[in-house]
Amino acid sequence: MIYWEIFLAFFIPGILGYGGGPATIPLIEYEVVHRYGWMSVEEFAEVLALGNALPGPIATKMAGYIGFEQAGILGASVGLFATIAPSLILMIVLLSLLYKFKDSPKVKLLSSIVRPTIAVLLGAMTLRFAETSYMESGVLQTGILIGASYYLLERRKVHPAFVILGALIYGAIFLAP
């Protein structure tokens, strides 16, 4: 019964919380604090604060922790699955539809319109990141990191995770206050 409750406590906010992880926090709080009474408001606030301090999506971290607190490793697994299940199911359904109609002229037109839009959005985000880096770290450090990242990713074909790890180490050594 506890596993089913953990599943519902995180699946329902995942279905109803449109807007990403932060949009689901009040719904998770209702389920965890008010509906099932697994923790107090203060305890939930502490879990939320700790979850925000760690890297990664907030809802999955909270689901893993609260699921573990209630039912151990299996509870954490159920909570994590319940958090990602709505997006996973929707993605499978939508991709199935997309592949079913991939030869349709309307789907091809839609894809041709969406790709440049996504490229522009990612480009705009990259410019904002570069501007923030320039403002906080200076032109020399920003230039070194951009140049080294480009060289490692495009010329040496290094996995992006290693480039990010290298940038973190570089920042810890050369940019730490």
Side-chain angles (χ1 to χ4, degrees):
M1 186 67 176
I2 187 68
Y3 300 114
W4 179 245
E5 290 176 349
I6 292 170
F7 180 81
L8 289 178
F10 293 100
F11 185 78
I12 292 172
I15 290 285
L16 300 176
Y18 182 78
T24 64
I25 299 301
L27 301 172
I28 293 172
E29 189 261 348
Y30 173 80
E31 296 288 331
V32 170
V33 173
H34 303 291
R35 184 170 181 189
Y36 294 110
W38 291 332
M39 57 181 50
S40 67
V41 173
E42 293 80 18
E43 291 169 331
F44 185 83
E46 291 173 359
V47 171
L48 178 62
L50 184 61
N52 271 329
L54 299 172
I58 184 71
T60 53
K61 289 180 286 190
M62 294 181 72
Y65 176 75
I66 295 169
F68 181 79
E69 283 292 312
Q70 295 306 309
I73 297 291
L74 187 55
S77 300
V78 169
L80 286 171
F81 177 73
T83 302
I84 64 168
S87 297
L88 180 66
I89 292 168
L90 194 60
M91 193 163 169
I92 289 170
V93 169
L94 289 175
L95 282 176
S96 298
L97 283 173
L98 185 66
Y99 281 122
K100 184 176 180 181
F101 297 107
K102 69 180 181 184
D103 295 327
S104 164
K106 290 181 180 178
V107 171
K108 287 183 178 180
L109 177 64
L110 176 71
S111 296
S112 69
I113 292 171
V114 168
R115 280 190 205 125
T117 305
I118 292 172
V120 168
L121 290 172
L122 290 173
M125 182 181 71
T126 301
L127 289 176
R128 284 194 304 272
F129 284 0
E131 180 182 4
T132 302
S133 177
Y134 168 74
M135 299 295 280
E136 294 181 5
S137 304
V139 68
L140 179 63
Q141 302 296 343
T142 300
I144 288 172
L145 287 170
I146 288 174
S149 298
Y150 177 79
Y151 174 76
L152 292 171
L153 289 170
E154 295 299 321
R155 302 285 183 206
R156 305 293 297 180
K157 305 296 182 196
V158 174
H159 192 279
F162 294 118
V163 175
I164 292 171
L165 180 64
L168 287 172
I169 292 170
Y170 179 88
I173 294 171
F174 296 107
L175 301 175

